[in-house]
Amino acid sequence: MPTRHDDTPFLPHKILLIKLRHHGDMILTTPVINNLRQHYPAAEIDVLLYKETAPILANHPAIAQIHVIDRQWKKQGPLRQLEQEYALAQTLRTRHYDLVINLAEQWRSAIITLLSGTALRIGFNYTKRRSFLWRLAHNRLVTTANHTQLHTVEQNLSILEPLNLAITDRSCSMYYTAADKIRGETLLREQRVTGDYIVIQSTSRWLYKCWDDAKMAQLIEGLATSRLPVVLTAAPDKREQEMVDHIISLCRGVKPVSLAGQLSLPQLAAVIEGARLFIGVDSAPMHMAAALDTPAWRCSARLNYSAGVPGAKRVPCCGSAIMPNCRIRLISKPGSALRCLQYSA
């Protein structure tokens, strides 16, 4: 707890949370946001993130403002980038935060934390950041010594230790609007999907996470016994959409539906929540499924978290430990389709 000269509890009016990572990482920060809202219900909670990840948190009811860093700034030249960075720092400073929580590890995040002018600035004591500048930027540093034994959610929540908050909610959150749900339902209806269905996101920007296309097609064929339509989703990326098209061309006796490239992230969340089952790789849609309590299986291209673990076992989906009550399971063979169906029942 921050040192105080009286017994008045620390009740911040404005909080800034900083996380500069990928889409899935933003979902894994929501337990921090949820706990801050629970303990400081009157506080305004702002988030600073990369622009492309903003849709993940755009509809979160606990967030007052979202501030963004556009990674395209650097392509506009050093002077223009400096102007943008300065304008951002000025905007954040005028918010007059009582508390800044820096979950990021970039030097940029430390400088922004320092320039915020906030009295209480919490960050992680990363081994690679043990320097005068990092200590100057943060006046409370939280150890990362045990992070190799923790799920990423638990790692993130540990940053709240200086506040002495009781952590009662470790669940992730994903929100979307009524319009997002209508858009998803409309696209499904156009493909004659009106009842239960299975969502498969076989693609990722990181190809090493993906199954071979033939292997995925074999899994889809195995799911045909359920008589549930299989809906394939992907980002609006040419390479990912080509991968989906190739998988469909390899399927024999079954024709999955493709919504590849047609959904925004909140719209994808709505479609995933309506699914009977989600199957995907270790990426943002997988974390969405967990946050939305949709039964989920992670396709493992390599058993990099727990080598040799049979497909039906629980394994860490993120970090080095399993979260209690996590519904994500691992599938390493296309022949495990029946297990997937039994799990979703």
Side-chain angles (χ1 to χ4, degrees), residues 193 195-198 220-230 254 276 341:
V193 178
D196 287 343
Y197 56 91
I198 298 169
I220 294 170
E221 292 167 4
L223 293 170
T225 59
S226 70
R227 299 188 181 278
L228 296 177
V230 173
V254 59
R276 171 86 169 271
L341 296 171

Side-chain angles (χ1 to χ4, degrees), residues 155 169 175 289:
Q155 294 174 15
D169 183 5
Y175 295 92

Side-chain angles (χ1 to χ4, degrees), residues 16-29:
L16 175 64
L17 180 73
I18 303 174
K19 184 67 175 182
L20 306 175
R21 288 292 289 173
H22 305 299
H23 296 89
D25 298 290
M26 301 317 302
I27 297 173
L28 298 175
T29 66

Side-chain angles (χ1 to χ4, degrees), residues 238-299:
K238 181 180 179 181
R239 185 179 59 178
E240 291 193 30
Q241 292 182 60
E242 288 175 348
M243 185 183 300
V244 169
D245 290 340
H246 187 233
I247 290 170
I248 292 175
S249 72
L250 296 175
C251 292
R252 298 292 179 262
V254 59
K255 179 75 181 232
V257 169
S258 175
L259 296 185
Q262 301 181 52
L263 298 165
S264 68
L265 288 168
Q267 290 165 2
L268 174 60
V271 170
I272 289 174
E273 185 168 39
R276 171 86 169 271
L277 172 67
F278 176 87
I279 301 174
V281 299
D282 180 16
S283 62
M286 173 63 68
H287 297 304
M288 286 184 190
L292 296 165
D293 204 29
T294 298
W297 283 78
R298 177 171 69 84
C299 298

Side-chain angles (χ1 to χ4, degrees), residues 30-83:
T30 56
V32 176
I33 298 170
N34 297 339
N35 278 276
L36 287 171
R37 166 55 69 236
Q38 177 185 350
H39 290 280
Y40 306 126
E44 295 183 23
I45 302 172
D46 293 0
V47 178
L48 173 63
L49 41 63
Y50 284 136
K51 182 179 179 180
E52 67 269 22
T53 66
I56 293 291
L57 299 181
N59 301 302
H60 197 298
I63 296 176
Q65 293 186 25
I66 291 180
H67 307 277
V68 303
I69 290 175
D70 190 342
R71 288 198 263 197
Q72 299 301 312
W73 289 347
K74 61 184 178 183
K75 296 182 180 180
Q76 300 173 11
L79 181 59
R80 180 56 178 160
Q81 180 180 2
L82 183 60
E83 291 174 349

Side-chain angles (χ1 to χ4, degrees), residues 75-331:
K75 296 182 180 180
Q76 300 173 11
L79 181 59
R80 180 56 178 160
Q81 180 180 2
L82 183 60
E83 291 174 349
Q84 300 275 21
E85 301 273 5
Y86 178 77
L88 172 63
Q90 289 293 98
T91 297
L92 296 177
R93 193 172 181 88
T94 59
R95 288 287 286 157
H96 303 295
Y97 295 110
D98 307 290
L99 169 64
V100 172
I101 298 174
N102 181 18
L103 285 168
E105 59 184 17
Q106 297 92 333
W107 283 113
R108 169 191 265 168
S109 70
I111 294 171
I112 291 172
T113 298
L114 179 62
L115 294 179
S116 70
T118 305
L120 180 57
R121 307 179 304 278
I122 305 175
F124 280 127
N125 190 22
Y126 295 109
T127 302
K128 64 181 180 181
R129 296 289 184 256
R130 290 181 181 172
S131 66
F132 171 76
L133 178 57
W134 194 262
R135 292 193 301 272
L136 180 65
H138 310 90
N139 50 21
R140 295 290 189 279
L141 286 172
V142 177
T143 182
T144 60
N146 64 338
H147 277 197
T148 56
Q149 284 79 48
L150 297 178
H151 187 280
T152 304
V153 166
E154 297 283 8
Q155 294 174 15
N156 290 336
L157 285 170
S158 70
I159 199 129
L160 300 178
E161 288 176 2
L163 301 173
N164 291 332
L165 303 181
I167 305 301
T168 58
D169 183 5
R170 290 170 169 79
S171 58
C172 295
S173 304
M174 180 70 201
Y175 295 92
Y176 53 84
T177 66
D180 294 323
K181 183 176 182 180
I182 291 171
R183 171 62 176 168
E185 290 174 344
T186 299
L187 289 174
L188 289 170
R189 195 162 48 246
E190 289 174 356
Q191 297 290 338
R192 299 182 180 178
V193 178
T194 57
D196 287 343
Y197 56 91
I198 298 169
V199 171
I200 295 182
Q201 175 108 4
S202 59
T203 61
S204 169
R205 69 195 307 189
W206 312 111
L207 291 179
Y208 72 86
K209 294 182 177 182
C210 301
W211 268 10
D212 176 85
D213 290 354
K215 191 176 180 181
M216 183 58 68
Q218 185 181 345
L219 174 65
I220 294 170
E221 292 167 4
L223 293 170
T225 59
S226 70
R227 299 188 181 278
L228 296 177
V230 173
V231 179
L232 302 184
T233 59
D237 173 81
K238 181 180 179 181
R239 185 179 59 178
E240 291 193 30
Q241 292 182 60
E242 288 175 348
M243 185 183 300
V244 169
D245 290 340
H246 187 233
I247 290 170
I248 292 175
S249 72
L250 296 175
C251 292
R252 298 292 179 262
V254 59
K255 179 75 181 232
V257 169
S258 175
L259 296 185
Q262 301 181 52
L263 298 165
S264 68
L265 288 168
Q267 290 165 2
L268 174 60
V271 170
I272 289 174
E273 185 168 39
R276 171 86 169 271
L277 172 67
F278 176 87
I279 301 174
V281 299
D282 180 16
S283 62
M286 173 63 68
H287 297 304
M288 286 184 190
L292 296 165
D293 204 29
T294 298
W297 283 78
R298 177 171 69 84
C299 298
S300 175
R302 57 182 187 180
L303 299 184
N304 54 339
Y305 292 112
S306 186
V309 175
K313 298 292 185 180
R314 294 181 62 199
V315 295
C317 63
C318 196
S320 301
I322 298 170
M323 280 293 293
N325 302 319
C326 180
R327 302 190 72 187
I328 297 176
R329 301 295 192 275
L330 178 76
I331 177 174

